[in-house]
Amino acid sequence: MSGYVNAQVPVELLFTDLVTEDEKNNIPNYTDRWYEHHKLSGDIPIMRFHSHKALYRYLMNEQGSPSAYTDWYRTIHISRGIDPPLSEEEVIAFRRNQFHIMKDALSSNIAYFHENPPLVKFNRMGGYFNLKDGHHRSAFLYCQGKRRMSVKMSHEDYIYWMNNEELPEVAASFRKYQRSLIYTPILHPSYYHLKSERDHAYPTRLDVIMDFLGLRSLRGKKVIDIGCNIGYYARHFVREGADVTGLEPLAEHFDLALRLNRLERVHFNLLPDRFESSSRLQQYEIGLLLTVFYHHMGDRNIRNAFLCKINQCITDMLFWESGSEPETEKALLLQNTHFTRYVKLAETSGTGKVRELGVFLKT
C-alpha cells in the first residue's frame, strides 16, 4: 500500500535532514565547504538545532541574539559562492513576520499545523525521523514547548515505525508488573495516553542537557546511564550515535526497557547490574546519574563503593540530578571523585521533591 500518512510524532524523534553522498548533485552550486558547514547541523535532534532555536528564542524575547541564525543563513550561501539574497536585517524581519503568523495560528487556528505538516523519512538505522522540510516550523513548535508534532510520512514508514508486532510484548510487561505509571515518556502512539511522572513538559531534563551539549557530536561517544529505568535517556543517546550502556537492577524496569528497545527499534547494552558492584563496566566519556545517588546516601559502604566506581568509570562529564539534599550530594561527588568543576543547569522538581540538575566536569 502506497501513499502518505499524517501522524503525531514526539519531538525527541525529529532530527534535521542530512544530504547524502547521492544527493549532493541536487544542491545548486554545491561545494565541499558548504557540505562541511551543512554537516554541523545535519542529522541532529531539533532540540539541538542551535541556529534555529536561537532565532525563535530571540523572537520570543527570551534570551540571546539571532546571530547564530544569521551566521547560519549567511554561510549556507557564501559557502557556495552565492550572495545572500537578504541582508541580516531583512532575513530577521522576514522570519519575525513568519513567527507572528505561526504564533497566531498556534493560538487561534491550530489546524494550520495539522494541515501543513512537514515531510519526514524514517531513519531505519537510527530509529528516528529526518525532516525533509519544515525545519523552521518544527523549531518554532519546539521552542513553544510542543512535545509532539504533526508530520507526513510514507505509509511504509508509518507501518515500520508502529512496529505492531512488538506491542503485545510491551503490554505483557505492563500486565506482569501491574504497571499503571511510567517515570519517563514512551515514544510510541500506543502510549501517548500515559502521562509520565517526569520529562513530559518543556523544558524537560533532556532539553536542558541538550542545551548544554550544544553542537557537540555524540557519535562514537561511550555513555553510561546509571539507573536507566525504562531506557528513555539511553535510547536518546543511541539515536545520536553514542555507544550506550544502561544499568537497571529493578526487574520491572529492566523488563520494560528491554521490550521498549524492540518496540522503538533502538538498542543499547542493557545490564541488570547494580552500578557500585558491577564487574562488567568499562570507561565512559559521559555518565548519567539522574535521581539515583541520593538513594545510597545513608549506607556508607555502598556510597563509598559508588563514588569509587564513578571515579574509575567516567572520564569527562557526569550529568546528575539530586534528591532533596543537593548540596550534600554535590560535596560528596566533588570531594571523592576526579571531577573538579560543577555547573548548575536547572532547578527541577519531580515525584514530590525539589531537585537540582547539573553537570560535573573533569576540567
Side-chain angles (χ1 to χ4, degrees), residues 54-66 92 96:
L55 169 70
Y56 290 114
R57 286 176 174 174
Y58 169 76
L59 295 175
M60 292 163 63
N61 293 318
E62 280 191 16
Q63 58 186 24
S65 79
I92 292 300
R96 179 177 285 109

Side-chain angles (χ1 to χ4, degrees), residues 188-220:
H188 190 278
S190 296
Y191 291 93
Y192 288 173
H193 66 286
L194 288 182
K195 183 179 179 180
S196 61
E197 293 182 275
R198 305 296 305 276
D199 302 306
H200 62 271
Y202 178 85
T204 67
R205 295 174 297 171
L206 185 60
D207 293 319
V208 174
I209 290 170
M210 292 298 107
D211 263 349
F212 176 81
L213 288 172
L215 289 176
R216 292 182 182 90
S217 175
L218 296 177
R219 298 199 177 278

Side-chain angles (χ1 to χ4, degrees), residues 45-222:
I46 60 167
M47 60 174 59
R48 291 225 280 153
F49 198 9
H50 176 64
S51 56
H52 290 47
K53 287 198 309 181
L55 169 70
Y56 290 114
R57 286 176 174 174
Y58 169 76
L59 295 175
M60 292 163 63
N61 293 318
E62 280 191 16
Q63 58 186 24
S65 79
S67 61
Y69 180 82
T70 54
D71 289 347
W72 170 85
Y73 173 80
R74 182 171 178 273
T75 305
I76 63 171
H77 291 93
I78 65 171
S79 61
R80 293 177 292 149
I82 301 171
D83 289 332
L86 299 175
S87 69
E88 290 187 4
E89 293 77 14
E90 288 170 333
V91 74
I92 292 300
F94 172 75
R95 288 300 171 191
R96 179 177 285 109
N97 182 59
Q98 294 297 309
F99 168 79
H100 287 300
I101 290 172
M102 290 190 291
K103 192 74 182 295
D104 289 345
L106 197 60
S107 61
S108 61
N109 183 26
I110 192 64
Y112 168 84
F113 295 100
H114 301 309
E115 293 165 0
N116 299 278
L119 177 65
V120 299
K121 182 174 178 59
F122 196 77
N123 187 317
R124 299 193 179 195
M125 294 293 292
Y128 53 83
F129 292 94
N130 287 113
L131 288 158
K132 309 308 289 185
D133 60 31
H135 288 74
H136 285 88
R137 272 171 289 163
S138 299
F140 164 79
L141 289 170
Y142 170 72
C143 289
Q144 293 291 317
K146 298 302 177 184
R147 302 312 298 174
R148 291 194 287 270
M149 300 183 194
S150 293
V151 298
K152 180 172 72 172
M153 67 188 75
S154 70
H155 186 266
E156 291 79 7
D157 274 353
Y158 179 75
I159 294 298
Y160 187 82
W161 174 48
M162 291 299 290
N163 197 8
N164 287 333
E165 295 84 359
E166 296 294 342
L167 279 172
E169 291 298 313
V170 177
S173 184
F174 270 83
R175 290 194 301 272
K176 179 179 179 180
Y177 294 101
Q178 300 180 340
R179 295 186 74 113
S180 58
L181 296 173
I182 51 174
Y183 184 65
T184 49
I186 295 176
L187 306 181
H188 190 278
S190 296
Y191 291 93
Y192 288 173
H193 66 286
L194 288 182
K195 183 179 179 180
S196 61
E197 293 182 275
R198 305 296 305 276
D199 302 306
H200 62 271
Y202 178 85
T204 67
R205 295 174 297 171
L206 185 60
D207 293 319
V208 174
I209 290 170
M210 292 298 107
D211 263 349
F212 176 81
L213 288 172
L215 289 176
R216 292 182 182 90
S217 175
L218 296 177
R219 298 199 177 278
K221 297 292 185 184
K222 292 179 71 66

Side-chain angles (χ1 to χ4, degrees), residues 12-53:
E12 296 94 328
L13 299 186
L14 291 178
F15 281 51
T16 60
D17 197 18
L18 178 67
V19 172
T20 65
E21 293 289 332
D22 294 338
E23 295 170 328
K24 287 180 177 180
N25 292 335
N26 298 330
I27 304 299
N29 301 91
Y30 172 85
T31 66
D32 288 339
R33 182 187 170 197
W34 173 86
Y35 194 61
E36 289 304 310
H37 172 68
H38 167 71
K39 287 193 297 184
L40 293 175
S41 57
D43 203 23
I44 61 173
I46 60 167
M47 60 174 59
R48 291 225 280 153
F49 198 9
H50 176 64
S51 56
H52 290 47
K53 287 198 309 181

Side-chain angles (χ1 to χ4, degrees), residues 277-304:
S277 58
S278 178
S279 61
R280 296 192 278 182
L281 303 184
Q282 304 170 17
Q283 286 196 320
Y284 308 87
E285 288 104 324
I286 300 172
L288 301 173
L289 185 64
L290 305 180
T291 67
V292 173
F293 184 53
Y294 79 101
H295 289 297
H296 308 295
M297 298 279 284
D299 188 313
R300 181 181 294 272
N301 291 332
I302 293 178
R303 184 188 72 194
N304 290 343

